[in-house]
Amino acid sequence: MSSERNQSLKFCTVCASNNNRSMESHRILKEAGYNVSSYGTGSAVRLPGLSEDKPNVYAFGTPYNDIYNDLKSQSVERYKSNGLLEMLDRNRKLKRAPEKWQEGLKVFDFVITCEERCFDAVCEDLMSRGGQLNKIVHVFNINIRDDNENAKIGGKAILKLADTLSQKAAESEDSGEPFEDCIMGIVTEWQELYPHLPLLYSPGYY
Amino acid sequence: MSNEVAQLAQARALAMHNKPGTMLPKVLETAMSLYRSTTNPSTELGKICARLFMDVLNHDEVVSSEKPFIASQHLSTLWLICRSQQDHATLRDGILGFSRCYEWLFDLVAKTSNKELWNTMDQFKSFILSKWKTPYPFSPTEDPLKDHARSLGVKLATVKSIATLVIAHTQGPPGSAFASLPDSHPVITSKAQLRVEAKKLLDCLLSYLSEEPMMVSSLFMGVLNCLGFIMKQRPQATSRILSGILRFNVDNKYQQDDEPVLQYRLAKRFVERCYKVFVQYGLKAQLIKSSGSTSQYHAKLSKISQTLHVIGEETKSKGIMNFESKQVERKMPSRERAKYIAFLKSSSQAASLNTEPKQPRLSPDLQLLHALQKYTMTKSSTAGFFNTSPVAIDNTYASAYSLMNSKHSEIDISKLSPGVMAKLCAESLYQCDTKKIITGLSIVASRYTDLMNKASHSEFPGKRPLENGNDESQPAKRQEVAKVPEEEEISEDEDKQEFTLGPPEPMSKEEKKEHFARILAHIINVRNAEEEEDTKEEAPDNLLHKVRLMKWNSKTSWLTLLTRLATRGVNHNNEMSNTARLAIYEYFLDDFGNRVDVVIEWLSEEWYFETLQNDSGVKETPVYDEWSLKVLDALIPVLEPSHRRLFIRLVSELPRLTQLHIDKIKSVCLDPLRSSLGFQSLRFMIMFRPPVKPFIEKLLISMREQDESVKEQCESILKKFY
């Protein structure tokens, strides 16, 4: 029952490259039983390269498996030590390829971004789509630093938020209390639990 | 009953995964039929119907061309559901469903003249609009302000519907339903009226941003998003939207009484972010441009956007939880709350009265209000003012209040009807922050007080001689008889006397000094200005005397200003001119090694001006002598051999040297450590400044007799040059 209820709400996690933060959150939410997708808002997928000033750049849509093999061919030792190979291995088990937010057509109830610039990009994109579908969407930002450890910490915080939102949505179905009236209370409680992860929120329309 | 709903839910789930394009519409039809045929249909049934309606309209696999007809078929049932159900989620989804299909249905009515459909649409629309700003479907509580933040889902849906109506009823690009609609359409009879309504609805959204007193952040952000949609679809509305946005002041919104401070703080932060996103969206989409009708808003909004970004970054870096509750907290004072509630009641009564006349006509009140609005917009520029000095033009209260504005506006608000006038005043007072009102009224009060004090002061001396005259002219023994005519005469004079504002008091000496010191400080500050503005325009021949100012250099021209101020501008007043001279003198001494140019230029001006003033033949320059000797007195004790170039340049370029000047050098010559510097300067002057040669001979003879150690040097110079 709870698993079924969770599936009815559609979640989406967003970061810049759809590789680290959004995928870690994607994995955590998926394992918790949520219906979740993930995207990136950047112009391309950027991953650390052999030298700091030469990142690896791929187009969105390039399969994770291809990226994985490309990095292996460059240097197994280097990319194993900095965790990229492990990250890509995780990603290819979740879905085929990184996806670009601006090109996505799916509709979600909740969008959770991991960086303020991504939050702005999502909100602006929703404005530019014109609200034709007339569906309310709730966009949140949880500022997560883009490294392995912080992505894991952020992922747990996002799960907590998703759990609270999901639970409140279910309660609203039963009690008739408007879900939208409770969101500010939910984010306030959440912010008190995670004071070091600044949160932003905005309702939007598809 | 619940069994049927459960079956419908199953059918819906199945349809979603098996041929949704054909199955979903069938499930929708079944559900809607069930609803119509059921007496007292359940909340669950209503909810699933509203949701299905939206699912069908938004599903990719339902053929697009079929969607308008599906919507048309089921709109009346959706309307029935919305007006009979009290469930929040059902209403929210129903209103969004109506908004989703409105333009399709409008186009359908335009093409098919389906009057029944148009009537249903009109009723549905009126119903939705009537619920705006109410907590419907919930009952109002005792606290109207708290109700502003209730039923937000329905309100967000209503805002979206309003945006849809604005777009649908505003002139769009060729091919849009409204643009194609003929004026003589048999069913949609008044196209112009729809256009007027669209403007009113847009103003409804804009006024919500500026007039809502509470921080209802979700709704503010919803409105901003919808304004973005309108701007994109109907760019001609952009100017109106942007001027409304500029009246939206997030800082003025109040915290709910039961709202935690952190929640209020987060809410404000969210709205500020949304505001920034809205502006960035407008800029990127080229809807807010630096040219054309939006240019006046471009700079302001860009600035606001940047400021909000900086504020957001500061808050984040300091820590979201790191704040002082007392400072952030902002609950509505009881007095304001009572005022607002009273205003709500009066405005609701006025609104009910306004709804009676169906035809909107431009009454004289509206004309006057429009004129006032135009004037207010023109006030944003200063082009119209020839005199920017804010001085009351006469003694009326209006002038004291508005200073120079009273003649410019030329709008007589007293012509407004009492009702409109009262509403206008109430509206203005409620929208102002209390602190601002108090500050403003204090300013006006102090202006008026000053005005009255000046008036009474000017009258007083005028009365005294009159009284004295009366006293003197009357014989002593006739005092008792004369009292009566005295009083009469005085009162008559007072009645007849016209009021005149006294001339301003001349500045006292202290005020003059203080004022002049301030001027000097400003001039000296000019030299610190970083920008050098070398305007090298060629001057006409007859303007040669102004070339210096035309080639302005903020690093050096300040000296010219100060020098001429001292020598010519205020030379009639020794004290003031010496203040200016002292400023230059002290500036030189601060860094004399690098500022010998300054003092030479200044002293040359002094000498030149005094020479001009002198009668022919007289060559005395006492002011120049005084200050040049002061410079030497200050300089000579600190001179070192390393200052040889500086000192020689000074003595070679000063315009006039007297015996007194030359004698000052004696102490340098007699100092064993510096004698070489002294004697070098003397030799230089002997060779290059013949007029001072006799003074130097006198000095050398005097030193030779006074000090044995310099005797040889003196004699060698005397032998060589004399």
Side-chain angles (χ1 to χ4, degrees), chain B residues 376-629:
Chain B
T376 307
M377 293 304 292
T378 63
K379 246 192 108 179
S380 63
S381 78
T382 57
F385 299 106
F386 65 93
N387 177 12
T388 57
S389 171
V391 176
I393 55 178
D394 52 47
N395 69 320
T396 63
Y397 187 83
S399 293
Y401 184 89
S402 64
L403 298 185
M404 71 286 192
N405 290 339
S406 62
K407 283 196 171 177
H408 282 270
S409 69
E410 292 176 355
I411 294 177
D412 187 358
I413 296 184
S414 64
K415 289 179 180 175
L416 289 168
S417 66
V420 174
M421 173 75 84
K423 209 183 297 183
L424 195 64
C425 293
E427 191 83 12
S428 303
L429 287 174
Y430 290 131
Q431 289 203 43
C432 273
D433 182 50
T434 304
K435 292 177 183 175
K436 282 185 181 175
I437 289 182
I438 292 171
T439 304
L441 291 177
S442 300
I443 291 170
V444 176
S446 64
R447 284 180 195 163
Y448 203 65
T449 303
D450 288 348
L451 205 60
M452 291 303 103
N453 286 343
K454 285 183 180 179
S456 63
H457 182 272
S458 69
E459 275 186 325
F460 184 70
K463 279 187 178 180
R464 179 175 289 166
L466 190 60
E467 289 177 350
N468 290 341
N470 286 339
D471 289 341
E472 289 171 359
S473 64
Q474 297 301 321
K477 57 185 175 180
R478 298 177 64 185
Q479 278 180 4
E480 290 184 2
V481 179
K483 278 184 180 178
V484 173
E486 267 183 338
E487 289 174 359
E488 286 178 355
E489 288 177 10
I490 292 170
S491 64
E492 284 176 358
D493 286 338
E494 283 178 350
D495 288 341
K496 290 178 181 177
Q497 189 175 354
E498 288 185 359
F499 174 82
T500 54
L501 189 62
E505 283 181 73
M507 279 191 282
S508 69
K509 284 189 176 180
E510 287 302 317
E511 281 173 349
K512 281 182 181 177
K513 287 181 189 175
E514 188 182 331
H515 194 60
F516 187 66
R518 216 177 297 140
I519 291 174
L520 293 185
H522 281 306
I523 293 176
I524 291 173
N525 282 338
V526 168
R527 72 172 189 263
N528 296 326
E530 290 181 1
E531 290 182 13
E532 294 187 19
E533 301 168 10
D534 282 322
T535 52
K536 299 191 173 179
E537 303 170 21
E538 291 193 0
D541 288 343
N542 59 351
L543 290 178
L544 273 178
H545 60 289
K546 297 186 177 180
V547 165
R548 185 160 195 100
L549 278 184
M550 295 183 73
K551 297 187 176 180
W552 175 269
N553 183 324
S554 59
K555 289 187 176 176
T556 60
S557 297
W558 69 273
L559 176 63
T560 305
L561 282 180
L562 213 52
T563 298
R564 296 194 178 181
L565 187 61
T567 59
R568 312 182 195 199
V570 291
N571 70 318
H572 62 281
N573 184 316
N574 271 344
E575 194 170 0
M576 294 220 285
S577 57
N578 281 346
T579 304
R581 291 183 177 109
L582 192 62
I584 306 174
Y585 173 76
E586 288 177 347
Y587 173 77
F588 163 69
L589 290 183
D590 275 349
D591 185 15
F592 67 86
N594 294 309
R595 293 177 180 174
V596 68
D597 308 36
V598 167
V599 81
I600 289 172
E601 184 175 341
W602 160 43
L603 290 173
S604 296
E605 284 276 347
E606 294 280 4
W607 173 82
Y608 179 70
F609 182 75
E610 278 188 288
T611 303
L612 287 180
Q613 296 297 302
N614 283 342
D615 295 331
S616 61
V618 180
K619 292 189 176 180
E620 298 302 319
T621 54
V623 174
Y624 165 83
D625 290 347
E626 178 192 349
W627 284 93
S628 54
L629 288 170

Side-chain angles (χ1 to χ4, degrees), chain A residues 116 120 124 127-128 130-134 173 178 180-181 188 192 195 198-201 203 205, chain B residues 51 54 58 88 92 99-100 138 150-152 156 160 225 232-233 263 269-270 273 276 284 316 321:
Chain A
E116 284 188 357
D120 290 351
E124 286 177 28
M127 278 190 193
S128 73
Q132 303 286 357
L133 300 188
N134 286 266
E173 284 285 317
E180 289 80 6
D181 290 13
T188 303
E192 283 177 326
L199 181 140
L200 289 169
Y201 163 69
Y205 301 89
Chain B
R51 203 156 284 174
M54 189 63 103
N58 279 340
H88 178 266
R92 178 197 64 201
S99 179
R100 174 65 173 119
F138 305 115
R150 294 177 64 224
S151 191
L152 289 175
L156 285 169
K160 185 60 181 68
N225 273 272
K232 179 185 164 100
Q233 303 285 348
Q263 180 168 326
R269 184 161 171 264
F270 296 164
R273 190 72 189 206
K276 186 191 93 112
K284 287 180 184 174
K316 202 173 59 173
M321 312 298 292

Side-chain angles (χ1 to χ4, degrees), chain A residues 31-42:
Chain A
E31 288 176 355
Y34 286 103
N35 180 351
V36 59
S37 302
S38 60
Y39 292 90
T41 59

Side-chain angles (χ1 to χ4, degrees), chain A residues 105 116-117 119-120 123-136 138 143 172-174 176-181 183-189 191-192 195-206, chain B residues 44 47 51 54 58 87-88 92 96 99-100 138 149-153 156-157 159-160 164 217-218 221-222 224-226 228-229 232-233 262-263 266-267 269-270 273-274 276-278 280-281 284 313 316 320-321:
Chain A
L105 295 180
E116 284 188 357
R117 285 181 301 167
F119 177 81
D120 290 351
C123 292
E124 286 177 28
D125 181 68
L126 288 171
M127 278 190 193
S128 73
R129 295 187 190 198
Q132 303 286 357
L133 300 188
N134 286 266
K135 176 182 164 45
I136 295 172
H138 304 282
N143 231 46
S172 293
E173 284 285 317
D174 296 339
E177 182 189 17
F179 173 70
E180 289 80 6
D181 290 13
I183 290 179
M184 288 304 299
I186 290 171
V187 300
T188 303
E189 286 178 15
Q191 187 73 92
E192 283 177 326
H196 301 295
L197 296 171
L199 181 140
L200 289 169
Y201 163 69
S202 175
Y205 301 89
Y206 270 102
Chain B
E44 293 302 316
K47 191 178 293 186
R51 203 156 284 174
M54 189 63 103
N58 279 340
D87 177 66
H88 178 266
R92 178 197 64 201
L96 287 172
S99 179
R100 174 65 173 119
F138 305 115
R150 294 177 64 224
S151 191
L152 289 175
L156 285 169
V159 165
K160 185 60 181 68
T164 297
S217 60
S218 297
M221 294 188 278
L224 286 170
N225 273 272
C226 289
F229 301 149
K232 179 185 164 100
Q233 303 285 348
L262 174 60
Q263 180 168 326
L266 289 174
R269 184 161 171 264
F270 296 164
R273 190 72 189 206
C274 189
K276 186 191 93 112
V277 167
F278 172 86
Q280 290 303 310
Y281 164 71
K284 287 180 184 174
E313 291 299 298
K316 202 173 59 173
I320 298 295
M321 312 298 292

